[in-house]
Amino acid sequence: MEAMIQRLKQQFYDVMYKYEKPFAETGVLANLNQWATAKRPMLELLRHHPNWQEEDLAVVMEIKNVRPIDRDAVDEGVFALRELGEEMQLPAEQRKNLYGALCAAITGYELLMPDNDNYLDTIRSLTGISCVAGQKTSRVINRICCQFGLDQYTVERPDAPGQMVHPYNVIFARLSDALNPPADTKKLVLSIHPCDFLEMSGKDSTWKSCHRLNGGSYQAGCQSYMGDGVSMVLFVVEPDQTGPYGKVPHLNRQIFCYGDGLLLQSRLYPERNDDVNTLYRHTVQAILATCLQRPNQWKVKRDIRKENEFWHTVSQSCHYPDYDHGYAILSLLKGQDSYTPLKIGSVSLCTICGQPKSESSLLQCTQCEPVAICAACGKTLPMRDLEHYEGKFYCKDCLYWCSVCRKYHLGIPRKVFGRRGQEKSVCPDCYRNVADTCRGCLIHEQCLDFGGNRFCPTAYEGLAA
């Protein structure tokens, strides 16, 4: 574990550099040790999955990312099937049962049958067919229609007298296309990596949330999720992206919390989509069932609020509790008599001193002077004495200011002389320009002695090498 903490420490530093945040080794190690202690059971659990990647501390797998279902087209399809039943002159009771079963099947407008026993029981009682959660909705609809004989009904083609066709085939094909929109392959990442919590709403993505480190009002909430024992962060990224996954653009982000057979799915970012929510929930359910070596059977509760006592937010946590505002969907692993409420969040620790703090919009406490670590020499210095250069902080001993191009540079400068004989620092590129000008001069050796570059018309920027 110590080797892991040291590796993660440098990655934590890199996030602080990227977002120009104050930090010190003491604070970073305090955050990482809190993460390691709290997340140890979750780490041991997820390591049982065949798609676990130790370097990324995440389960990584490809998924077929669904597009939104066209609800109007679905409604039109069900209405057309009801009209077809009337055209067939089905008995009134059968027409009623047909329409009732079809409405139950599409209630959630989802690719797969929802985890709702009321809808499933309605279909079973009205049709006599068997159906379970997770079956493709279009297949269940097809079985319903076949049960009532809609697939056997034929009519004569208007443009070809004597030729019989099945109108059901055309209607069902349109309805099936609406319920099964084209999918494209994406990469799903279920992570407990501490830096993935820090960058769960990273600036590399095209959307923002209040947990973003670049200006979010709940920046410390990233630490709260990072330091508890139940939270995981789910990312969906393009299939060619590789870790670290906090640093790549996120198409979607979602917090999942798990403990003792109870799974909470929080708000989906950047926007709510029931079909996508269902896909991600089923995927996480399957991941956990595989890790637990339990049947992948869950009972789902929707629109659950805090007063139901399935979870509570840990006191003094700094994250925004989306799940308390109508976004939570609970999955209860079947086969258990009781479930221990989830303890979501943790006290955020200052990234400088490592002590608990309460400021939700800051990573450090208000008592600490903002400091950071020079990426070159490792000194911890006040941020006012550091420069942010090429994505990291450097002290003024490790950086130098080029007198010609007027930019900071890392490394050892080249020395030249100004018009009044004072020594100046220049970068290698600028030095070559100065040296090239002076190299062919007849009085080069004497120039520096009497300051000839003061009146030399060809001296580069009034400098002599």
Side-chain angles (χ1 to χ4, degrees):
M1 180 62 74
E2 182 59 30
M4 176 188 290
I5 293 295
Q6 290 302 313
R7 173 172 61 86
L8 294 175
K9 182 179 76 170
Q10 188 56 55
Q11 295 176 10
F12 200 115
Y13 285 5
D14 289 341
V15 176
M16 298 296 98
Y17 289 136
K18 178 179 179 179
Y19 291 91
E20 302 183 49
K21 297 297 180 182
F23 71 101
E25 183 180 37
T26 298
V28 170
L29 288 177
N31 277 271
L32 289 176
N33 287 326
Q34 181 187 48
W35 166 86
T37 300
K39 288 286 196 287
R40 184 185 293 272
M42 185 72 73
L43 175 64
E44 296 302 325
L45 174 64
L46 294 177
R47 276 175 170 162
H48 288 95
H49 198 275
N51 291 92
W52 173 259
Q53 293 187 9
E54 186 69 22
E55 182 73 17
D56 297 309
L57 295 173
V59 175
V60 182
M61 57 198 304
E62 287 191 345
I63 59 167
K64 293 293 185 181
N65 203 42
V66 296
R67 299 178 185 176
I69 287 176
D70 186 342
R71 298 190 174 198
D72 290 338
V74 172
D75 290 340
E76 290 172 3
V78 169
F79 181 76
L81 291 174
R82 185 180 70 169
E83 286 192 321
L84 186 60
E86 294 177 353
E87 184 180 321
M88 292 170 56
Q89 297 183 347
L90 289 175
E93 185 68 20
Q94 290 190 25
R95 294 201 305 271
K96 179 181 176 181
N97 292 346
L98 169 66
Y99 186 59
L102 290 174
C103 289
I106 68 163
T107 298
Y109 294 95
E110 296 180 6
L111 172 68
L112 305 177
M113 288 301 297
D115 309 288
N116 189 306
D117 290 337
N118 292 331
Y119 301 149
L120 298 172
D121 288 343
T122 296
I123 296 171
R124 296 181 190 120
S125 64
L126 293 177
T127 66
I129 68 171
S130 60
C131 56
V132 296
Q135 284 183 303
K136 291 189 71 172
T137 303
S138 58
R139 291 181 180 175
V140 173
I141 289 176
N142 185 51
R143 294 187 62 193
I144 292 171
C145 294
C146 291
Q147 185 74 1
F148 290 95
L150 271 65
D151 61 318
Q152 301 299 317
Y153 178 64
T154 59
V155 296
E156 187 176 64
R157 284 186 58 173
D159 57 342
Q163 184 176 347
M164 308 301 291
V165 295
H166 296 271
Y168 169 75
N169 292 342
V170 176
I171 298 172
F172 176 73
R174 288 200 298 264
L175 178 56
S176 181
D177 288 344
L179 285 168
N180 298 279
D184 49 4
T185 300
K186 301 296 180 186
K187 187 177 286 185
L188 181 141
V189 180
L190 185 65
S191 173
I192 58 170
H193 195 297
C195 295
D196 287 348
F197 287 102
L198 291 175
E199 292 206 81
M200 63 183 185
S201 296
K203 65 181 180 181
D204 298 297
S205 301
T206 58
W207 51 272
K208 300 177 181 179
S209 87
C210 60
H211 286 92
R212 69 186 187 277
L213 295 188
N214 56 326
S217 55
Y218 287 86
Q219 298 177 42
C222 303
Q223 298 165 283
S224 288
Y225 280 126
M226 181 178 72
D228 73 18
V230 299
S231 296
M232 304 170 284
V233 58
L234 179 146
F235 298 135
V236 174
V237 301
E238 293 293 350
D240 59 342
Q241 297 286 2
T242 58
Y245 288 102
K247 297 182 180 298
V248 303
H250 305 144
L251 305 178
N252 290 113
R253 185 269 285 174
Q254 193 164 38
I255 290 290
F256 280 83
C257 301
Y258 175 78
D260 189 29
L262 187 60
L263 176 66
L264 180 145
Q265 179 181 25
S266 192
R267 180 179 178 180
L268 175 67
Y269 286 88
E271 58 189 4
R272 193 166 189 167
N273 184 310
D274 291 339
D275 298 320
V276 174
N277 251 339
T278 300
L279 174 64
Y280 297 167
R281 183 171 65 254
H282 287 162
T283 303
V284 176
Q285 287 173 346
I287 289 173
L288 292 172
T290 297
C291 294
L292 292 164
Q293 297 182 331
R294 297 272 297 274
N296 187 24
Q297 297 177 356
W298 303 77
K299 180 179 178 63
V300 171
K301 291 181 176 291
R302 301 169 185 269
D303 300 323
I304 305 296
R305 296 185 180 273
K306 185 178 180 180
E307 56 265 26
N308 291 86
E309 297 301 322
F310 282 108
W311 69 80
H312 70 267
T313 300
V314 172
S315 176
Q316 296 184 334
S317 294
C318 291
H319 65 278
Y320 182 75
D322 293 309
Y323 44 82
D324 281 340
H325 300 282
Y327 291 100
I329 300 177
L330 282 169
S331 299
L332 287 74
L333 190 62
K334 292 184 178 180
Q336 294 189 201
D337 297 326
S338 61
Y339 302 89
T340 304
L342 298 166
K343 296 179 180 179
I344 305 175
S346 65
V347 176
S348 296
L349 303 180
C350 173
T351 53
I352 298 174
C353 68
Q355 295 302 306
K357 63 180 185 61
S358 58
E359 300 81 17
S360 62
S361 62
L362 301 172
L363 299 188
Q364 82 282 1
C365 66
T366 55
Q367 287 73 41
C368 286
E369 178 187 13
V371 299
I373 298 174
C374 173
C377 67
K379 293 179 183 177
T380 301
L381 298 169
M383 293 186 71
R384 64 177 177 271
D385 296 329
L386 296 166
E387 296 293 337
H388 197 252
Y389 171 73
E390 293 188 346
K392 294 186 177 182
F393 287 120
Y394 293 97
C395 68
K396 294 183 170 88
D397 290 333
C398 296
L399 282 180
Y400 65 89
W401 178 259
C402 176
S403 300
V404 176
C405 64
R406 300 188 179 279
K407 295 179 182 178
Y408 279 107
H409 295 272
L410 185 65
I412 301 175
R414 304 301 297 270
K415 298 299 182 180
V416 297
F417 293 90
R419 293 185 185 274
R420 294 178 176 82
Q422 71 274 34
E423 188 177 74
K424 295 191 175 185
S425 298
V426 298
C427 65
D429 288 341
C430 291
Y431 181 81
R432 280 191 291 271
N433 291 328
V434 174
D436 287 346
T437 300
C438 295
R439 191 173 293 117
C441 181
L442 294 176
I443 62 167
H444 181 213
E445 296 298 329
Q446 296 77 25
C447 179
L448 299 181
D449 294 332
F450 64 86
N453 63 321
R454 284 181 296 174
F455 51 81
C456 177
T458 59
Y460 185 83
E461 297 284 337
L463 301 174

